[in-house]
Amino acid sequence: MKQTTRNPWLWVPTLYFAEGIPYFIVNNISVLMFAKMGVPNGQMALFTSLLYLPWTIKPLWSPFVDLFKTKRWWIIAMQILMSAMFILLTLTLPHPSAEEIATGQVPMSIFMFTLILFVVTAFASATHDIAADGFYMLGLDQKQQAVFVGIRSTFYRLSNIFGQGVLVAIAGYIESNYNDIPLSWAVTLGITAVIFALVNIYHLFAMPRPSSDAPRLTGEASGKAKDIIKEFAASFVTFFRKPLVALAITFMLLYRLPEAFLLKLCTPFLVADQSVGGLGMTTEAVGLAYGTIGVFFLTIGGIIGGIMAARWGLKRSLWPMAACMTLPCLSFVYLAMAQPTSIIVISTCIAIEQFGYGFGFTAYMLYMIHFAEGEFKTSHYAICTAFMALSMMLPGMVAGYLQEWLGYELFFWMVMVCCIPTVIVTLLVSRKI
């Protein structure tokens, strides 16, 4: 295929917007959708947490994206596949009755085909992430990469606002006007399918074809392919031979423990009836408070965290950022105890928690970069991100059952207790940097 170039403004923003949409649909919006459909929190949290798995194990197949086909081919192919999945989700979403939903005991078993479609979407999205990040480095020179790193991050976050804010608000609007929860989510998924398909078609023409974007596994390059696989195996071996690797893995698994529990149950808590300890918010209000205001303050927290980390360095950043990662969880303890109805009060608490999460997460990212330094920096960082996904998946699998057992108020107090492991691993790690 003939080499072509394109202005990065024509494809970098849309590529990273498209990268974010399926991730937030699968890992965040699915939680709210199943909760609104009346699925018990235990089953909902278990099955939606398992959807993190593709991001946990994606380092295992990332070398094969290098070996077969081009990065551009993988991007387009995965976008086509995800568009098809969104269409199928729209057409096949089960419609439990209002009476069944009201019981709060709709079995997840009726959503098995929906879950299968989400799993396929998750694997396609994880593969798309690998190809998109690789294509970014091939399609831009080093100067352009530096210029557009903020742009790609901004549009990825905008996809978060679009997913958890706009799409959730659309679902809430349909629900409140037609009093049909399954219809509201079917229409929302349909809108997602149309938008994602249009972005996919746009990328067919807008994305460049850099000469460096070529499959490594060709007739004359089979030796190189063997070297890639050998290097891939070596990167795993050397990662687990790094000094203090056990401490590093423990830190990566426990630093976000409070947030891993909280994130899985916060939106179900917001929409749950006050009689069961929730806030009884409408879906539209959740889209505004959590999906828009919350994401905005998450972004601001991340930006300020990056600025402060650049000034302080990793060692000085760890303690204040660990504090901001844990203490704002108290805002949900307050919400569960007071059960306020004011959207201003609720939005303020969510903004505080999300700002703290965005600010505190910076230290976690810096530590992964720090630990990945060395000969296999890229591969080792990918392994670190796998542990990051695992740190969210494992607590999330049991979070719903714990909430059903404890109730919302005691559950959020338990989240505060989980701040203790965060403090301990931060103490241990800070002494070694």
Side-chain angles (χ1 to χ4, degrees):
M1 190 68 73
K2 184 180 178 182
Q3 175 188 354
T4 58
T5 57
R6 294 282 189 276
N7 186 324
W9 280 105
L10 294 176
W11 60 272
V12 172
T14 53
L15 178 63
Y16 281 89
F17 186 80
E19 182 175 309
I21 288 176
Y23 178 87
F24 295 115
I25 291 283
V26 169
N27 291 310
N28 298 86
I29 294 179
S30 66
V31 172
L32 181 57
M33 183 185 80
F34 288 130
K36 291 294 293 184
M37 290 278 202
V39 177
N41 282 344
Q43 295 181 44
M44 177 278 296
L46 172 63
F47 285 98
T48 56
S49 293
L50 288 172
L51 295 174
Y52 274 113
L53 185 62
W55 286 275
T56 303
I57 62 174
K58 72 178 183 180
L60 296 178
W61 76 85
S62 57
F64 298 98
V65 176
D66 269 337
L67 296 177
F68 301 99
K69 302 292 185 179
T70 64
K71 304 291 192 305
R72 187 183 190 278
W73 183 92
W74 281 107
I75 290 169
I76 298 298
M78 292 303 103
Q79 288 182 3
I80 291 172
L81 178 57
M82 287 186 283
S83 297
M85 291 303 102
F86 287 137
I87 292 170
L88 285 173
L89 281 165
T90 303
L91 298 176
T92 63
L93 188 68
H95 281 59
S97 68
E99 292 75 18
E100 289 177 298
I101 292 173
T103 66
Q105 296 298 319
V106 177
M108 186 61 95
S109 57
I110 74 168
F111 294 101
M112 276 302 127
F113 188 64
T114 303
L115 282 170
I116 290 170
L117 295 177
F118 273 135
V119 168
V120 175
T121 305
F123 275 100
S125 178
T127 305
H128 182 275
D129 292 354
I130 297 166
D133 291 340
F135 189 82
Y136 178 83
M137 291 183 281
L138 296 174
L140 302 176
D141 59 37
Q142 286 190 336
K143 183 178 179 180
Q144 289 174 320
Q145 288 177 37
V147 170
F148 278 88
V149 68
I151 303 300
R152 63 182 260 186
S153 176
T154 298
F155 277 84
Y156 186 83
R157 293 183 185 277
L158 284 175
S159 71
N160 190 354
I161 293 175
F162 175 76
Q164 297 192 82
V166 177
L167 290 179
V168 170
I170 290 172
Y173 175 81
I174 296 170
E175 177 189 331
S176 61
N177 282 273
Y178 295 94
N179 199 28
D180 190 333
I181 292 173
L183 175 67
S184 69
W185 291 105
V187 171
T188 302
L189 288 169
I191 292 170
T192 305
V194 171
I195 293 173
F196 204 81
L198 290 174
V199 171
N200 186 194
I201 293 169
Y202 172 77
H203 283 156
L204 283 169
F205 303 97
M207 289 186 65
R209 300 178 188 272
S211 58
S212 55
D213 184 23
R216 300 198 191 185
L217 190 58
T218 58
E220 61 274 11
S222 59
K224 186 182 289 187
K226 291 178 182 177
D227 290 339
I228 292 170
I229 295 173
K230 188 183 296 184
E231 183 177 303
F232 173 68
S235 70
F236 266 87
V237 173
T238 54
F239 180 87
F240 290 100
R241 288 180 177 173
K242 273 179 169 277
L244 303 173
V245 65
L247 176 61
I249 292 173
T250 303
F251 178 83
M252 285 184 271
L253 290 177
L254 294 182
Y255 181 80
R256 299 177 72 192
L257 184 62
E259 204 66 30
F261 281 119
L262 185 66
L263 283 177
K264 188 54 65 176
L265 270 301
C266 58
T267 50
F269 163 68
L270 296 176
V271 298
D273 193 85
Q274 287 200 333
S275 63
V276 295
L279 297 188
M281 294 176 69
T282 65
T283 306
E284 277 183 281
V286 172
L288 171 64
Y290 188 80
T292 305
I293 296 173
V295 172
F296 173 78
F297 278 91
L298 173 71
T299 304
I300 295 299
I303 292 170
I304 295 176
I307 294 170
M308 299 313 295
R311 292 183 179 179
W312 295 340
L314 175 58
K315 188 174 180 67
R316 285 184 61 199
S317 298
L318 272 174
W319 276 114
M321 289 186 176
C324 285
M325 194 78 173
T326 55
L327 294 179
C329 294
L330 276 170
S331 61
F332 272 83
V333 174
Y334 164 75
L335 289 175
M337 293 177 68
Q339 292 185 295
T341 55
S342 168
I343 188 69
I344 295 175
V345 173
I346 295 170
S347 297
T348 300
C349 290
I350 290 172
I352 292 169
E353 192 275 331
Q354 288 290 285
F355 178 87
Y357 174 45
F359 187 81
F361 185 65
T362 307
Y364 187 84
M365 297 295 290
L366 283 175
Y367 181 77
M368 290 197 300
I369 293 170
H370 165 76
F371 188 75
E373 286 293 340
E375 181 184 0
F376 298 100
K377 181 177 180 178
T378 302
S379 298
H380 286 179
Y381 184 77
I383 297 171
C384 288
T385 62
F387 280 109
M388 177 177 70
L390 192 64
S391 76
M392 300 300 289
M393 185 180 85
L394 295 179
M397 290 171 66
V398 299
Y401 291 110
L402 287 171
Q403 184 280 317
E404 289 179 342
W405 177 45
L406 296 170
Y408 279 112
E409 186 177 331
L410 286 177
F411 174 79
F412 290 127
W413 276 116
M414 185 214 71
V415 170
M416 289 305 303
V417 173
C418 289
C419 296
I420 295 173
T422 301
V423 171
I424 292 172
V425 294
T426 301
L427 174 65
L428 295 174
V429 163
S430 63
R431 292 177 173 178
K432 302 297 180 181
I433 296 175

